[in-house]
């Protein structure tokens, strides 16, 4: 309930309004704000969102949208180890590892986004332009090769199974933000 109240706070609404000032993010922000507004009128909103989460992200691939790259990369469509192994290697090369308490493979969406966050934090510590450009290139490469290769298919699954629309709206904003970030990182 407390986290849900935060989504309705002035701070979050102002943050979303700020994001919506960017034309490439506006449609996704508008969709998320609409879902948040409808959520305020939804009876037992917290329980319903929890049920939606379970339905979407904890069921089988046929009945939900599992948040693992391995579900969407490759021909089989079945959970395979290759994306997780690639992600583990990339993380090891970067000196980062998955928290043992998480108990999720490295190709889980949250792990991949956390890794991108680590890349961004480290690039902010760089001082020379040459190193910054190199870091930006690696971030863009990560977004393109480790997120955008499967996020659109993940969003399609979310849209298929998220009747209320909260989680698909968050996913659409994530995709729009990744695209915008790539544009920025490329200096366009």
């Amino acid at each position: 309930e407390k986290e849900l109240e935060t989504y309705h706070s002035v701070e979050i609404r102002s943050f979303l309004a700020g994001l919506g000032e960017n034309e490439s993010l506006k449609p996704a922000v508008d969709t998320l704000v609409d879902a948040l507004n409808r959520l305020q009128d939804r009876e037992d909103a917290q329980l319903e969102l929890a049920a939606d989460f379970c339905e979407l992200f904890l069921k089988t691939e046929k009945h939900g949208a599992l948040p693992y790259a391995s579900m969407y990369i490759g021909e089989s469509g079945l959970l395979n180890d290759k994306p997780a192994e690639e992600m583990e290697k990339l993380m090891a090369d970067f000196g980062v590892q998955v928290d043992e308490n998480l108990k999720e493979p490295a190709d889980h969406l949250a792990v991949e986004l956390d890794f991108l966050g680590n890349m961004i934090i480290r690039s902010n510590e760089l001082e020379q332009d040459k190193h910054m450009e190199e870091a930006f290139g690696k971030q863009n490469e990560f977004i393109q090769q480790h997120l955008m290769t499967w996020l659109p298919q993940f969003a399609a699954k979310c849209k298929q199974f998220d009747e209320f629309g909260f989680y698909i709206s968050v996913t659409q904003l994530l995709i729009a933000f990744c695209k915008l970030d790539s544009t920025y990182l490329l200096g366009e």
Side-chain angles (χ1 to χ4, degrees):
E1 286 291 335
K2 190 174 183 179
E3 289 177 19
L4 193 54
E5 287 174 22
T6 302
Y7 278 103
H8 299 301
S9 71
V10 172
E11 293 82 12
I12 295 296
R13 294 302 182 112
S14 295
F15 173 74
L16 291 173
L19 288 179
E21 290 177 10
N22 183 296
E23 286 302 313
S24 60
L25 298 179
K26 186 171 179 21
V29 169
D30 288 348
T31 303
L32 177 57
V33 169
D34 176 63
L36 289 172
N37 290 341
R38 288 183 294 111
L39 202 54
Q40 289 179 312
D41 297 328
R42 193 175 190 191
E43 194 170 320
D44 295 321
Q46 186 272 328
L47 291 174
E48 292 296 330
L49 269 184
D52 292 350
F53 182 92
C54 290
E55 288 288 317
L56 266 174
F57 305 124
L58 302 178
K59 289 239 175 171
T60 66
E61 66 190 77
K62 291 181 181 179
H63 302 287
L66 299 179
Y68 304 97
S70 57
M71 296 304 300
Y72 307 93
I73 296 174
E75 295 180 30
S76 69
L78 300 173
L79 194 59
N80 62 69
D81 292 336
K82 189 173 182 196
E85 289 170 0
E86 288 175 2
M87 193 62 204
E88 285 174 8
K89 182 182 179 333
L90 184 62
M91 291 172 75
D93 292 347
F94 205 73
V96 176
Q97 64 184 25
V98 177
D99 184 341
E100 294 173 8
N101 297 323
L102 186 58
K103 298 191 186 333
E104 291 289 355
D107 69 328
H108 188 283
L109 179 57
V111 174
E112 291 192 0
L113 291 174
D114 186 63
F115 178 72
L116 178 59
N118 275 290
M119 293 178 81
I120 293 167
I121 289 168
R122 289 190 185 179
S123 71
N124 289 336
E125 297 168 355
L126 298 173
E127 294 177 10
Q128 294 183 354
D129 287 344
K130 180 179 117 177
H131 295 134
M132 286 289 285
E133 287 178 29
E134 186 178 305
F136 285 0
K138 288 180 180 178
Q139 287 172 38
N140 182 59
E141 184 178 308
F142 179 80
I143 290 169
Q144 294 304 317
Q145 294 181 3
H146 293 274
L147 291 170
M148 294 307 292
T149 53
W150 67 277
L151 282 179
Q153 296 94 318
F154 173 69
K157 288 285 263 186
C158 286
K159 188 172 186 173
Q160 180 182 356
F161 294 107
D162 183 12
E163 290 179 31
F164 183 78
F166 174 77
Y167 293 104
I168 182 56
S169 68
V170 172
T171 304
Q172 289 169 333
L173 181 56
L174 173 61
I175 290 171
F177 195 83
C178 285
K179 288 177 181 178
L180 178 65
D181 198 25
S182 276
T183 301
Y184 168 78
L185 292 167
L186 293 172
E188 297 174 1

